Amino acid sequence: MSKDTTKTKKALTEAQVERRNALKQGLKDFLIPLLFIGVIALTIFLIIRFQKPEGTGEAIEIRSYAGEEEEVVIENDSLKLTMDAATTQFSVLVKETGKVWYSNAQNTDSDGVALASEKDRLNSTIAITYSDASGVDTAINSYGHSAKNGLYEIESDDTSITVRYSIGDIEKEYIIPPVMTKEVYDRFVGAMSAAEKEMIAQYFKKYDINKLGKKDNKEELLARYPILETEVIYTFREGTKETQKKKLQRFFEGVGFTYDDYLEAKALDTAEMTSEKPVYNITIRYRLDGSDLIVEVPMAEIEYPKDYPLYSLSPLPFFGSGGKQDEGYMLIPEGGGALISFNNGKTSLNGYYANLYGWDYGISRKDLVHDTRVYYNTFGVSEGNDSFLCILEGGRAYAAIRADVAGTINSYNSVNAVYTMLAREQYDVTALSQGEVYSYLWELPDETITQRYRFIASGEYTDMAKYYAGYLKDTYGSAMAKRTDTATPASVEIVGAIDKVKQIVGVPVSRPLPLTTYDEAGSIVNTLTEGGFKNLSVRLTGWCNGGLKQKILKHIRPISALGGTGDLKSFVSGAQAAGASVYLDGATMYEYDSNLFNGFFSFRDAGRFITKERAEQHQFSHITYASREFAESYYLLHATLADKMADNLQRYTAGVGAGVSFSDIGKDLAADYYRKNVRTRQESLDRHTERFRTLNENGTQFMTQMGNEYAAVYSDIVSGMDLKGSEYTILDEYIPFYQLAVHGYVDYTGSPINLCGDAEEELLLCARYGAGLSYAFMNADAFVTQKTMYSELYGASFASWRDRALESYRRYDSEMGHIFNQEMTGYENLSADVSVTKYEDGTSVYVNTGYRDYDSDGITVPARDYVVVK
């Protein structure tokens, strides 16, 4: 072999090797991304597969109304409920006044604003929204997707009416077999009367594969009815009229033909495929309870498809709605209360929406524009000389209040509650995935949504408030006892310590920064009581476990820089001797800045979101609305652990002779979606209520924040009540509805006057809403809080505020101190800035938040001031 030949072969071999290497590299470049994409796809599939709610795995039975289209009536000495069986709409006659309230908007056919789909919603008694794994929502209702097609059942007795809806985009289904084998036909039809047999024969056609007619297409028949190859069959004739279907259904029901038999019959016809469109079986029950109407939706009886979870539900969304010709208003539980006048013309604005008890912190959120919150469980409608309250009872922890005025999407003014059913969260799959995948709560709790409608022979909100007060007394018994206060309640927060980063051996470390020692706190209390503060409740915050940003309360340790345990006890006893009540504050639902050394391990101790992730909470920017990048996060505690932390706090405070202040429970409300031990939001509410009831019955003094109605009635004092609420443009007037109900039974204060930004405005709000006064103090100078995360304490220096606080409290108490053991009996907004609040002894409190003097009935109310007339 020549050298040239050898070189050629060698060159070819090297070229082949290069090609192979290039091919291998190409395959790698192709397969690696392909494999990566496959992993992403598999992840998404598994999430969708395993994060869907359990739903109803079996076929959902379609309900059908076979009764006569007549009225169904229940009544007692106070009320008469009449239901139209053809539509399931009803009216309620209040016998005392003759007033008739309707379940739905009236004369909807003439509504020139509403589209056809919206008219169906106006005629509905239930409105629902369902969703899918991508978070796409679809709204349907009980009229357009059920009652209009007869897809419901009605049951009634002497005291209640129950309506069972099948809601979905489906045609009415009659329980008539589409196909029967000869054996099945003989068994059921053979049991019928001769007349029934004759009629059945007219509507069923017989097929025998060996005796087909000339016009019968054998291939088409076998394709549709595969069983025809071996069996003689009878098929139901298409195009049969509705009236005949009703008769035939009764015939089959009479011989024991069941829905399971119907499903077996459907399976023989390949054309009778089950619709892929979702169907929801929902039951609503109406009961009369004295002068109240009770509406119930049992969650255990709701059936839904697992691929289309039921996201929200609103019972009676248009009960008592007013049209364009009606005069009245809607009562909204925003702050102490607000009114939306019928037909106020604000049609370009968003409707009202707020969560009852605020956000569920067991659900994550990526941004926050505005945190909606209402803290008591009622709304209402007033029309002329009549009104009603809708009081939310069972399932209210899942509720939000929604209201809108005529002229937006329809011509009616309405307010209702909407309940989150299967809550959801967006699941973060991967940054490379463009689609959104949602995880839903996997099952509905075995609870019942309950709404109580209380009808009132008055259109005045003051009378509505008294009926709500009566409800609270009936519900909470002796906890709603009349107060014996003879002086203005004062809530004073004293801040012990905050955390500040210090350099220790060149390492930044967070350490408590003392603001008020226990001895200094005692001195502040003595100064206040000696200066005229009487009905004083002292809330000591930042006293243990690191300060205001309190570590988990597994082990409670007073901050040594503030003094020892003996100093703490001396402060408590000394303050009590001076006539003050002392409450040691603690956070029991959350941990802040905690680690293993504090007994906190997030994988074990944190609550869980629906996505199974730890319930990490974030602070949000007021500018971008997103979570603040460099702000520290914290965790919601596992529900059972949070209970133990509350127990620990109660034991410790009792050991030093103080009352207990809860900074979170009674204000915040959260579920824990830990799959092995789920605690729903309603269960959390019930547990908190039981804790408060037990403390109250045991005579343990305790303080809560905000004033959620289930906490306020048991509390010795409520601090930080949101008196006015948010100033939504759709609201027309602000009123102290809640305060009209609880004043004289619950002691409450507003926000700290010296920290709220406008001390004068807050003081005037307190006078208007019958609240006690609240302050927050520290012994240190304000500049100490510079370069910390606590700039909001800029106005808390006691030395700077002492004289002003003493002066404002002394005047307030001398003029208004006698009213806090009395009911608030009246309220009126005399102008946009001036109001008058009245009490049972005849006292009237005039408040002017404007910048001009106001004259009323011979009384001059100076600008930015209040006047008390006894």
Side-chain angles (χ1 to χ4, degrees), residues 59 175-181 183-184 187-188 227 257-270 272 274:
I175 312 306
I176 301 170
V179 185
M180 290 182 286
T181 63
E183 183 272 327
V184 173
R187 173 155 47 97
F188 286 107
I227 197 170
F257 189 80
T258 66
Y259 190 74
D260 289 336
D261 296 324
Y262 171 66
L263 293 178
E264 290 180 10
K266 284 182 68 174
L268 302 179
D269 184 353
T270 58
E272 286 283 343
T274 301

Side-chain angles (χ1 to χ4, degrees), residues 760-779:
E760 190 176 59
E761 182 75 14
E762 184 65 24
L763 181 65
L764 293 175
L765 277 179
C766 290
R768 176 171 286 169
Y769 285 79
L773 302 184
S774 177
Y775 303 88
F777 296 131
M778 61 184 182
N779 193 70

Side-chain angles (χ1 to χ4, degrees), residues 669-828:
L669 190 61
D672 181 5
Y673 298 106
Y674 180 58
R675 280 200 173 229
K676 292 183 179 179
N677 187 17
V678 174
R679 182 178 294 181
T680 68
R681 201 170 189 234
Q682 183 65 42
E683 288 173 335
S684 292
L685 185 154
D686 293 340
R687 283 178 180 258
H688 292 173
T689 303
E690 180 60 23
R691 178 179 298 277
F692 299 144
R693 185 190 64 79
T694 302
L695 288 170
N696 178 271
E697 290 180 352
N698 292 341
T700 303
Q701 286 191 314
F702 72 97
M703 175 190 291
T704 56
Q705 307 299 305
M706 183 58 70
N708 293 356
E709 100 284 333
Y710 60 88
V713 293
Y714 291 116
S715 302
D716 288 272
I717 186 168
V718 176
S719 180
M721 183 176 284
D722 187 2
L723 300 176
K724 187 175 182 180
S726 298
E727 296 189 27
Y728 299 110
T729 312
I730 195 171
L731 303 177
D732 295 309
E733 191 175 346
Y734 293 89
I735 60 170
F737 173 85
Y738 185 59
Q739 289 73 22
L740 280 160
V742 302
H743 195 278
Y745 300 91
V746 174
D747 280 347
Y748 55 90
T749 69
S751 300
I753 289 173
N754 56 321
L755 297 185
C756 64
D758 189 338
E760 190 176 59
E761 182 75 14
E762 184 65 24
L763 181 65
L764 293 175
L765 277 179
C766 290
R768 176 171 286 169
Y769 285 79
L773 302 184
S774 177
Y775 303 88
F777 296 131
M778 61 184 182
N779 193 70
D781 292 329
F783 76 87
V784 174
T785 62
Q786 292 180 358
K787 297 182 180 180
T788 72
M789 300 300 291
Y790 300 94
S791 58
E792 69 270 17
L793 296 176
Y794 67 92
S797 174
F798 183 63
S800 300
W801 253 90
R802 177 186 55 215
D803 295 339
R804 190 174 174 185
L806 291 172
E807 180 184 356
S808 61
Y809 179 85
R810 283 196 295 259
R811 181 201 165 188
Y812 196 91
D813 182 60
S814 66
E815 297 183 31
M816 296 181 58
H818 65 288
I819 68 170
F820 292 96
N821 57 11
Q822 298 183 45
E823 291 185 3
M824 187 185 292
T825 57
Y827 178 86
E828 184 181 359

Side-chain angles (χ1 to χ4, degrees), residues 397-417:
Y398 315 117
I401 308 301
R402 180 172 56 190
D404 211 344
V405 296
T408 52
I409 58 175
N410 59 58
S411 298
Y412 300 89
N413 308 274
S414 62
V415 56
N416 59 81

